[in-house]
C-alpha cells in the first residue's frame, strides 16, 4: 500500500469518525472464516458497519478528531483491530457483541469504544455500555419528569374543584331541609 493510499484511507476514516458518534474497537482474531462471516452478516443486519483496519491508520485518523483518543494508543490499538460503526445508537454494537459471545465463547473481545465522545477501555466495560441510555431515552425521561408536577397540580385542582362543589351542594341541601 502506497503512502498516498494510506493518506486516502486515513482521511476517509477520519471523516467516518467525525460523523459517527458511536464506534467500538474489537479484537476478533480468534474467529475462523465462517465465524467472521457470521459476525459480518449480523453486523450488516443490524446496520453496523464493520471494518478491519490497521492500528496505525486508526490512530492517525483519531488524531484528527476534536476528542482526545490518546488513551487508546497503548491499550486499545494493539494487535488485531476491527471497528464497528453505528450512527444512531450506542448500544447496538454492545448488544451484538454480548449475543455473539453467548453463542461463541471467547471469540470476540471489546478493546475500546467511543459513545458520544465518552471513552471506554477494556472488555469489562461491555456491561456498562449496555446500560447506557441514548439521548432520546434521556430526553424522554426529562420531559416526563418535567410534566409530572404539572399533571399533579392540574389533577389536584380538578379533583379539589369537584370535591368543593360536592361539599357546597350538600351544605345547601342541608340548609334547605
Amino acid at each position: 500500500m502506497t503512502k498516498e493510499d494510506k493518506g486516502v484511507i486515513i482521511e476517509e476514516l477520519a471523516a467516518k469518525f467525525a460523523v459517527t458518534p458511536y464506534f467500538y474497537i474489537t479484537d476478533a482474531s480468534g474467529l475462523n472464516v465462517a465465524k467472521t462471516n457470521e459476525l459480518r452478516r449480523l453486523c450488516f443486519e443490524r446496520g453496523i458497519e464493520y471494518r478491519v483496519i490497521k492500528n496505525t491508520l486508526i490512530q492517525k485518523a483519531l488524531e484528527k478528531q476534536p476528542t482526545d483518543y490518546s488513551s487508546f494508543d497503548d491499550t486499545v490499538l494493539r494487535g488485531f483491530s476491527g471497528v464497528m460503526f453505528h450512527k444512531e445508537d450506542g448500544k447496538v454494537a454492545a448488544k451484538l457483541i454480548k449475543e455473539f459471545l453467548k453463542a461463541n465463547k471467547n471469540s470476540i473481545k471489546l478493546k475500546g469504544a467511543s459513545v458520544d465522545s465518552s471513552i471506554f477501555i477494556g472488555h469489562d466495560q461491555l456491561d456498562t455500555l449496555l446500560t447506557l441510555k441514548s439521548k432520546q431515552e434521556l430526553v424522554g425521561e426529562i420531559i416526563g419528569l418535567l410534566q409530572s408536577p404539572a399533571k399533579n397540580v392540574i389533577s389536584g385542582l380538578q379533583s379539589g374543584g369537584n370535591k368543593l362543589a360536592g361539599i357546597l351542594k350538600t351544605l345547601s341541601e342541608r340548609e334547605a331541609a
Side-chain angles (χ1 to χ4, degrees):
M1 185 181 302
T2 66
K3 192 172 188 175
E4 291 81 24
D5 292 339
K6 289 179 182 179
V8 169
I9 292 171
I10 290 169
E11 290 303 318
E12 176 189 311
L13 197 54
K16 187 75 166 171
F17 284 130
V19 299
T20 308
Y22 312 109
F23 66 87
Y24 287 60
I25 300 174
T26 63
D27 179 358
S29 59
L31 296 177
N32 60 27
V33 174
K35 292 295 181 184
T36 302
N37 288 338
E38 180 184 342
L39 176 64
R40 288 181 183 274
R41 182 181 47 76
L42 289 171
C43 286
F44 178 76
E45 289 171 359
R46 296 180 188 187
I48 299 170
E49 180 183 343
Y50 179 72
R51 294 175 61 184
V52 175
I53 306 165
K54 290 181 70 171
N55 289 322
T56 54
L57 300 178
I58 295 171
Q59 183 178 15
K60 288 181 181 179
L62 288 175
E63 287 172 357
K64 297 180 180 235
Q65 304 308 309
T67 304
D68 180 21
Y69 291 105
S70 61
S71 57
F72 279 1
D73 294 349
D74 296 330
T75 54
V76 176
L77 299 176
R78 297 285 178 245
F80 181 91
S81 293
V83 184
M84 294 179 170
F85 296 99
H86 198 276
K87 290 186 179 182
E88 297 162 7
D89 190 353
K91 290 197 280 188
V92 174
K95 288 178 187 176
L96 174 86
I97 293 169
K98 190 78 163 183
E99 290 173 17
F100 196 78
L101 281 170
K102 285 181 184 175
N104 306 286
K105 300 279 187 223
N106 301 321
S107 58
I108 188 170
K109 181 181 172 194
L110 175 67
K111 293 169 41 172
S114 175
V115 177
D116 284 329
S117 299
S118 296
I119 297 172
F120 299 88
I121 297 176
H123 189 73
D124 59 329
Q125 296 294 313
L126 187 60
D127 290 328
T128 303
L129 289 163
L130 286 167
T131 60
L132 286 179
K133 294 187 178 187
S134 69
K135 282 183 182 178
Q136 292 87 359
E137 291 171 328
L138 290 173
V139 169
E141 282 185 15
I142 290 170
I143 290 172
L145 290 171
L146 291 174
Q147 287 179 340
S148 179
K151 286 181 182 177
N152 290 341
V153 169
I154 291 170
S155 66
L157 289 174
Q158 287 174 339
S159 67
N162 293 338
K163 286 180 184 177
L164 185 59
I167 292 169
L168 289 174
K169 184 178 177 185
T170 305
L171 289 174
S172 66
E173 288 173 357
R174 283 187 187 170
E175 287 179 10

